[in-house]
Amino acid sequence: MTDVWLRITLLSATTIGGGEGMPAEVDVDVEYDEWGLPFIGGRRLKGLLVEEAALILGAFPQAEWVQAAEWLFGRPADARSISHFRIADGQLLPDVRAQVREAVEAKRASAADILGTLTEIRAQTAIDPTTGAPLKGTLRRTRALRRGLNFYSPIDWGGDPGERPQALLAGCALAVRRIGLGRSRGKGAVSLTLVDADGNDLTRTWAQPLLAAGGHS
């Protein structure tokens, strides 16, 4: 059983695409399960952390931080390299999921009801620059996760990480600011934190060795 989770807090409505949407409802959808509960894929989360690790190593190229990154994520382009850090899908809290499943099974709510409560649908269309009118055939509907939702993803270390891998992971979490579609255009504001079983935030405490190496307190 894990004792550390990555908590993903959505600071804005966010579309973390799961492929094509429901016909006649949305063109771009989020990922969700049979109960209508959205989730964030673990591979997507790990990819964001790996991206930030590469940027951090640009500022901290010392061997100890390179070794910390390799312990966590493996060596790039080396299929034989072992990644000790594993992260599962980010989901809502277990008691929330249990209540939702009970409600759906008892037919007090449907999966569509649950999904509609936790998401919103946004419509956008291209505009003719000359007339200012919407261009025909360009209307797209996108489902987005609502602002304020928290998802929790359990972490499996695959061994004792030690201080520096923990510090690097915490630094990566602090560095992630955007997630999902349109993040390069400033959309999908998010906050990532590492928390223990009681919900205590470990992130800045763990990050101290990295922050100290950069001359910050």
Side-chain angles (χ1 to χ4, degrees), residues 25-45:
E25 185 172 356
V26 295
D27 301 290
V28 180
D29 217 335
V30 299
E31 292 185 285
Y32 56 91
D33 62 19
E34 61 186 300
W35 312 104
L37 289 165
F39 62 91
I40 303 174
R43 294 181 67 178
R44 187 185 302 273
L45 293 170

mmCIF file of all heavy atoms in Angstrom, residues 25-45:
data_model
loop_
_atom_site.group_PDB
_atom_site.id
_atom_site.type_symbol
_atom_site.label_atom_id
_atom_site.label_comp_id
_atom_site.label_asym_id
_atom_site.label_seq_id
_atom_site.Cartn_x
_atom_site.Cartn_y
_atom_site.Cartn_z
ATOM 1 N N GLU A 25 -22.676 14.610 -28.960
ATOM 2 C CA GLU A 25 -22.585 15.332 -27.687
ATOM 3 C C GLU A 25 -21.328 16.184 -27.643
ATOM 4 O O GLU A 25 -21.410 17.401 -27.464
ATOM 5 C CB GLU A 25 -22.588 14.359 -26.514
ATOM 6 C CG GLU A 25 -22.610 15.070 -25.171
ATOM 7 C CD GLU A 25 -22.810 14.125 -23.997
ATOM 8 O OE1 GLU A 25 -23.006 12.918 -24.231
ATOM 9 O OE2 GLU A 25 -22.772 14.608 -22.857
ATOM 10 N N VAL A 26 -20.149 15.589 -27.757
ATOM 11 C CA VAL A 26 -18.905 16.351 -27.762
ATOM 12 C C VAL A 26 -17.969 15.788 -28.820
ATOM 13 O O VAL A 26 -18.045 14.623 -29.198
ATOM 14 C CB VAL A 26 -18.204 16.332 -26.383
ATOM 15 C CG1 VAL A 26 -19.045 17.033 -25.334
ATOM 16 C CG2 VAL A 26 -17.877 14.910 -25.950
ATOM 17 N N ASP A 27 -17.062 16.655 -29.290
ATOM 18 C CA ASP A 27 -16.050 16.229 -30.259
ATOM 19 C C ASP A 27 -14.782 15.760 -29.559
ATOM 20 O O ASP A 27 -14.083 14.870 -30.051
ATOM 21 C CB ASP A 27 -15.725 17.388 -31.209
ATOM 22 C CG ASP A 27 -16.952 17.868 -31.969
ATOM 23 O OD1 ASP A 27 -17.414 17.119 -32.841
ATOM 24 O OD2 ASP A 27 -17.440 18.964 -31.670
ATOM 25 N N VAL A 28 -14.462 16.380 -28.438
ATOM 26 C CA VAL A 28 -13.275 16.017 -27.663
ATOM 27 C C VAL A 28 -13.722 15.730 -26.234
ATOM 28 O O VAL A 28 -14.387 16.561 -25.607
ATOM 29 C CB VAL A 28 -12.216 17.141 -27.672
ATOM 30 C CG1 VAL A 28 -10.992 16.723 -26.866
ATOM 31 C CG2 VAL A 28 -11.818 17.481 -29.104
ATOM 32 N N ASP A 29 -13.356 14.568 -25.736
ATOM 33 C CA ASP A 29 -13.854 14.137 -24.441
ATOM 34 C C ASP A 29 -12.722 13.957 -23.438
ATOM 35 O O ASP A 29 -11.545 13.925 -23.808
ATOM 36 C CB ASP A 29 -14.614 12.809 -24.579
ATOM 37 C CG ASP A 29 -15.831 12.744 -23.668
ATOM 38 O OD1 ASP A 29 -15.831 13.446 -22.639
ATOM 39 O OD2 ASP A 29 -16.767 12.003 -23.992
ATOM 40 N N VAL A 30 -13.098 13.840 -22.166
ATOM 41 C CA VAL A 30 -12.163 13.469 -21.111
ATOM 42 C C VAL A 30 -12.246 11.959 -20.924
ATOM 43 O O VAL A 30 -13.137 11.294 -21.459
ATOM 44 C CB VAL A 30 -12.502 14.195 -19.785
ATOM 45 C CG1 VAL A 30 -12.399 15.698 -19.968
ATOM 46 C CG2 VAL A 30 -13.883 13.800 -19.272
ATOM 47 N N GLU A 31 -11.336 11.418 -20.131
ATOM 48 C CA GLU A 31 -11.394 9.999 -19.804
ATOM 49 C C GLU A 31 -12.284 9.802 -18.582
ATOM 50 O O GLU A 31 -12.184 10.537 -17.607
ATOM 51 C CB GLU A 31 -9.996 9.457 -19.524
ATOM 52 C CG GLU A 31 -9.099 9.429 -20.748
ATOM 53 C CD GLU A 31 -7.760 8.767 -20.457
ATOM 54 O OE1 GLU A 31 -6.934 9.418 -19.807
ATOM 55 O OE2 GLU A 31 -7.556 7.613 -20.881
ATOM 56 N N TYR A 32 -13.135 8.794 -18.620
ATOM 57 C CA TYR A 32 -14.003 8.491 -17.484
ATOM 58 C C TYR A 32 -14.352 7.005 -17.512
ATOM 59 O O TYR A 32 -14.221 6.327 -18.533
ATOM 60 C CB TYR A 32 -15.268 9.356 -17.504
ATOM 61 C CG TYR A 32 -16.078 9.260 -18.773
ATOM 62 C CD1 TYR A 32 -17.106 8.333 -18.916
ATOM 63 C CD2 TYR A 32 -15.823 10.117 -19.845
ATOM 64 C CE1 TYR A 32 -17.850 8.259 -20.074
ATOM 65 C CE2 TYR A 32 -16.552 10.048 -21.016
ATOM 66 C CZ TYR A 32 -17.571 9.116 -21.119
ATOM 67 O OH TYR A 32 -18.294 9.028 -22.280
ATOM 68 N N ASP A 33 -14.802 6.502 -16.352
ATOM 69 C CA ASP A 33 -15.077 5.070 -16.245
ATOM 70 C C ASP A 33 -16.570 4.781 -16.405
ATOM 71 O O ASP A 33 -17.361 5.675 -16.742
ATOM 72 C CB ASP A 33 -14.537 4.513 -14.919
ATOM 73 C CG ASP A 33 -15.195 5.155 -13.697
ATOM 74 O OD1 ASP A 33 -16.288 5.744 -13.835
ATOM 75 O OD2 ASP A 33 -14.610 5.052 -12.599
ATOM 76 N N GLU A 34 -16.958 3.553 -16.153
ATOM 77 C CA GLU A 34 -18.344 3.134 -16.379
ATOM 78 C C GLU A 34 -19.329 3.810 -15.445
ATOM 79 O O GLU A 34 -20.542 3.799 -15.675
ATOM 80 C CB GLU A 34 -18.460 1.615 -16.210
ATOM 81 C CG GLU A 34 -18.093 1.131 -14.816
ATOM 82 C CD GLU A 34 -18.079 -0.374 -14.713
ATOM 83 O OE1 GLU A 34 -19.134 -0.984 -14.963
ATOM 84 O OE2 GLU A 34 -17.023 -0.938 -14.373
ATOM 85 N N TRP A 35 -18.831 4.405 -14.359
ATOM 86 C CA TRP A 35 -19.708 5.084 -13.404
ATOM 87 C C TRP A 35 -19.837 6.576 -13.722
ATOM 88 O O TRP A 35 -20.530 7.298 -12.995
ATOM 89 C CB TRP A 35 -19.145 4.913 -11.990
ATOM 90 C CG TRP A 35 -18.768 3.506 -11.674
ATOM 91 C CD1 TRP A 35 -17.501 2.991 -11.634
ATOM 92 C CD2 TRP A 35 -19.644 2.422 -11.398
ATOM 93 N NE1 TRP A 35 -17.525 1.650 -11.343
ATOM 94 C CE2 TRP A 35 -18.833 1.269 -11.191
ATOM 95 C CE3 TRP A 35 -21.029 2.295 -11.291
ATOM 96 C CZ2 TRP A 35 -19.372 0.024 -10.898
ATOM 97 C CZ3 TRP A 35 -21.563 1.052 -11.004
ATOM 98 C CH2 TRP A 35 -20.746 -0.056 -10.812
ATOM 99 N N GLY A 36 -19.152 7.021 -14.764
ATOM 100 C CA GLY A 36 -19.164 8.435 -15.106
ATOM 101 C C GLY A 36 -18.135 9.238 -14.342
ATOM 102 O O GLY A 36 -18.162 10.469 -14.369
ATOM 103 N N LEU A 37 -17.212 8.547 -13.677
ATOM 104 C CA LEU A 37 -16.180 9.222 -12.891
ATOM 105 C C LEU A 37 -14.958 9.508 -13.766
ATOM 106 O O LEU A 37 -14.334 8.579 -14.284
ATOM 107 C CB LEU A 37 -15.762 8.338 -11.711
ATOM 108 C CG LEU A 37 -16.797 8.190 -10.601
ATOM 109 C CD1 LEU A 37 -16.432 7.035 -9.691
ATOM 110 C CD2 LEU A 37 -16.909 9.487 -9.807
ATOM 111 N N PRO A 38 -14.594 10.765 -13.932
ATOM 112 C CA PRO A 38 -13.403 11.080 -14.730
ATOM 113 C C PRO A 38 -12.136 10.696 -13.985
ATOM 114 O O PRO A 38 -12.112 10.605 -12.751
ATOM 115 C CB PRO A 38 -13.494 12.598 -14.917
ATOM 116 C CG PRO A 38 -14.322 13.078 -13.779
ATOM 117 C CD PRO A 38 -15.278 11.972 -13.438
ATOM 118 N N PHE A 39 -11.088 10.470 -14.744
ATOM 119 C CA PHE A 39 -9.778 10.175 -14.168
ATOM 120 C C PHE A 39 -8.697 10.732 -15.082
ATOM 121 O O PHE A 39 -8.963 11.100 -16.229
ATOM 122 C CB PHE A 39 -9.588 8.671 -13.949
ATOM 123 C CG PHE A 39 -9.624 7.836 -15.203
ATOM 124 C CD1 PHE A 39 -8.463 7.563 -15.908
ATOM 125 C CD2 PHE A 39 -10.822 7.329 -15.683
ATOM 126 C CE1 PHE A 39 -8.485 6.805 -17.075
ATOM 127 C CE2 PHE A 39 -10.868 6.563 -16.856
ATOM 128 C CZ PHE A 39 -9.690 6.296 -17.538
ATOM 129 N N ILE A 40 -7.477 10.797 -14.547
ATOM 130 C CA ILE A 40 -6.331 11.298 -15.312
ATOM 131 C C ILE A 40 -5.326 10.165 -15.420
ATOM 132 O O ILE A 40 -4.876 9.622 -14.401
ATOM 133 C CB ILE A 40 -5.687 12.516 -14.624
ATOM 134 C CG1 ILE A 40 -6.723 13.624 -14.423
ATOM 135 C CG2 ILE A 40 -4.515 13.045 -15.460
ATOM 136 C CD1 ILE A 40 -6.211 14.803 -13.612
ATOM 137 N N GLY A 41 -4.963 9.793 -16.614
ATOM 138 C CA GLY A 41 -4.086 8.655 -16.829
ATOM 139 C C GLY A 41 -2.716 8.812 -16.183
ATOM 140 O O GLY A 41 -2.103 9.874 -16.256
ATOM 141 N N GLY A 42 -2.249 7.750 -15.551
ATOM 142 C CA GLY A 42 -0.949 7.779 -14.894
ATOM 143 C C GLY A 42 0.198 8.026 -15.859
ATOM 144 O O GLY A 42 1.163 8.720 -15.520
ATOM 145 N N ARG A 43 0.129 7.474 -17.053
ATOM 146 C CA ARG A 43 1.201 7.676 -18.033
ATOM 147 C C ARG A 43 1.293 9.137 -18.446
ATOM 148 O O ARG A 43 2.386 9.663 -18.653
ATOM 149 C CB ARG A 43 0.962 6.790 -19.253
ATOM 150 C CG ARG A 43 1.070 5.306 -18.971
ATOM 151 C CD ARG A 43 0.846 4.463 -20.186
ATOM 152 N NE ARG A 43 1.901 4.622 -21.158
ATOM 153 C CZ ARG A 43 1.964 3.953 -22.315
ATOM 154 N NH1 ARG A 43 1.007 3.083 -22.633
ATOM 155 N NH2 ARG A 43 2.956 4.152 -23.153
ATOM 156 N N ARG A 44 0.147 9.790 -18.526
ATOM 157 C CA ARG A 44 0.141 11.216 -18.865
ATOM 158 C C ARG A 44 0.807 12.020 -17.747
ATOM 159 O O ARG A 44 1.604 12.930 -18.000
ATOM 160 C CB ARG A 44 -1.291 11.692 -19.081
ATOM 161 C CG ARG A 44 -1.412 13.122 -19.602
ATOM 162 C CD ARG A 44 -2.871 13.524 -19.658
ATOM 163 N NE ARG A 44 -3.657 12.641 -20.489
ATOM 164 C CZ ARG A 44 -3.816 12.771 -21.805
ATOM 165 N NH1 ARG A 44 -3.225 13.772 -22.431
ATOM 166 N NH2 ARG A 44 -4.561 11.923 -22.479
ATOM 167 N N LEU A 45 0.477 11.688 -16.499
ATOM 168 C CA LEU A 45 1.066 12.390 -15.362
ATOM 169 C C LEU A 45 2.571 12.182 -15.303
ATOM 170 O O LEU A 45 3.336 13.119 -15.086
ATOM 171 C CB LEU A 45 0.417 11.907 -14.062
ATOM 172 C CG LEU A 45 -1.056 12.266 -13.876
ATOM 173 C CD1 LEU A 45 -1.634 11.522 -12.683
ATOM 174 C CD2 LEU A 45 -1.222 13.773 -13.701
#
